[in-house]
Amino acid sequence: MMTLLSGKKFDTNCRIEIEQSPEHFHAHVELDGNIPIYPGDRVQVHGDPVNVSFGEKVVFDRSATVQRAGWLRRTWTKFAGHFEMAELYEVSFTPGRL
């Protein structure tokens, strides 16, 4: 049953970029070797929590563990993702001004 939900697990290095400024508010993780991440896969970045003050940008390297999704988790994630996307489409337009 375990292989239905989870597949291969491996460690890799990664680069983390966090910025909190008037122009940008983001946190990005880039795995070494541009390892692709697919629906249902999990990535855990190791290390202490990071605090970034307003107006600051930090870039640093850490290690991460990638847990590939098994076929059941991957299929469920793709299926459920369609409903999550549908929430973005729930927009109504009214003619003229109110």
Side-chain angles (χ1 to χ4, degrees), residues 27-60:
H28 296 284
V29 175
E30 183 177 323
L31 302 175
D32 282 0
N34 290 324
I35 297 169
I37 300 299
Y38 301 106
D41 289 350
R42 297 176 181 194
V43 177
Q44 179 181 4
V45 177
H46 304 288
D48 295 329
V50 177
N51 290 318
V52 178
S53 300
F54 189 76
E56 190 176 31
K57 176 182 177 179
V58 295
V59 178
F60 52 95

Side-chain angles (χ1 to χ4, degrees), residues 19-90:
E19 183 172 353
Q20 184 177 199
S21 68
E23 296 83 24
H24 298 279
F25 183 67
H26 67 263
H28 296 284
V29 175
E30 183 177 323
L31 302 175
D32 282 0
N34 290 324
I35 297 169
I37 300 299
Y38 301 106
D41 289 350
R42 297 176 181 194
V43 177
Q44 179 181 4
V45 177
H46 304 288
D48 295 329
V50 177
N51 290 318
V52 178
S53 300
F54 189 76
E56 190 176 31
K57 176 182 177 179
V58 295
V59 178
F60 52 95
D61 296 322
R62 291 255 172 106
S63 63
T65 300
V66 177
Q67 175 75 50
R68 294 289 187 201
W71 72 268
L72 182 60
R73 183 181 305 275
R74 188 170 317 286
T75 302
W76 175 254
T77 302
K78 287 179 182 180
F79 176 74
H82 291 291
F83 294 105
E84 295 292 327
M85 283 294 289
E87 289 182 21
L88 296 175
Y89 299 135
E90 291 182 15

